[in-house]
Amino acid sequence: MGKGIGGHTKPNSGLSDSWITPKFIVDALGPFDLDPCASSPQPWACASKSITLPEDGLLAEWKGRVWLNPPYSNVWEWLNKLARHNNGIALVFARTETVGFFREVWEKADGLLFLRGRLFFHLPSGERGKSNSGGPSVLVAYGEANKQALKNCTLAGAYIGLK
C-alpha cells in the first residue's frame, strides 16, 4: 500500500497495483538492457532483461543501460542506485523542490526532459489508465549517452542539460 507510479504501484482507482510506462516513451529512448522495476504481467518489455517481484531489483546487480520507472514510495533510493550506476534513464514525478530531488537529481543527473502534459500509464493488460498520472513527469538521465538520448529524442517537452 502507498506505492507510487512505477513498476509496483497503488493507483487512485483501486483497479491495479501496477502501472506500466507508456510504450511510446521506451520506444523513443530505447533500447535498454535492464528494467529493475518491471511489472508482472507486463504488455511490453521496457528492456531486454526485467526484474519482477518477488526479486528485489534494488538489491540486484545492475548491468548495462537501465530503464527505471521506480516505485514512487521509495523513489530516492532507486535514483541513488541509478546515479551510482551512471547508465540509465528514470521516469519520475517532477517534484523539483523536494530534498530528494535536489540530492538525487539536481546534484547527480546529467540531463532532464520535462515532459509536456501529464502521462497516462497503462495497466498490465496494456489498457491505458482512465486517469492521468496526477502530476508532471520528468525523465532523468545519468551518463553522457543517456543525456544525449534525452536531448535528441522526439518526445514533447523541455530539455535541460545539467553537466
Side-chain angles (χ1 to χ4, degrees):
M1 193 92 140
K3 294 180 179 176
I5 295 177
H8 321 296
T9 65
K10 183 68 176 168
N12 293 332
S13 66
L15 294 175
S16 172
D17 285 337
S18 296
W19 292 96
I20 314 302
T21 302
K23 189 173 184 317
F24 75 90
I25 292 176
V26 178
D27 288 348
L29 299 170
F32 292 93
D33 300 309
L34 176 66
D35 178 356
C37 299
S39 180
S40 181
Q42 188 157 309
W44 48 82
C46 294
S48 58
K49 178 180 186 278
S50 298
I51 297 174
T52 61
L53 292 173
E55 184 178 359
D56 187 339
L58 194 55
L59 296 177
E61 181 181 356
W62 291 6
K63 292 182 181 177
R65 187 170 186 237
V66 173
W67 169 254
L68 183 65
N69 181 359
Y72 286 12
S73 62
N74 193 17
V75 67
W76 309 125
E77 193 171 359
W78 288 92
L79 283 179
N80 178 273
K81 182 161 182 168
L82 185 57
R84 286 183 282 120
H85 181 68
N86 199 38
N87 185 11
I89 296 176
L91 172 61
V92 298
F93 276 140
R95 305 287 192 230
T96 60
E97 79 292 358
T98 64
V99 171
F101 202 94
F102 267 86
R103 185 181 63 241
E104 304 304 337
V105 178
W106 292 124
E107 295 176 10
K108 297 177 183 175
D110 293 291
L112 304 171
L113 180 62
F114 290 89
L115 296 171
R116 181 171 292 162
R118 293 198 175 168
L119 293 176
F120 283 80
F121 288 84
H122 293 257
L123 299 169
S125 66
E127 178 186 357
R128 188 176 101 157
K130 293 184 185 349
S131 301
N132 68 40
S133 62
S137 297
V138 62
L139 292 162
V140 183
Y142 297 91
E144 184 63 30
N146 295 298
K147 172 183 174 176
Q148 292 305 315
L150 288 188
K151 184 176 181 180
N152 298 322
C153 77
T154 58
L155 297 170
Y159 172 78
I160 298 173
L162 297 177
K163 294 182 184 175

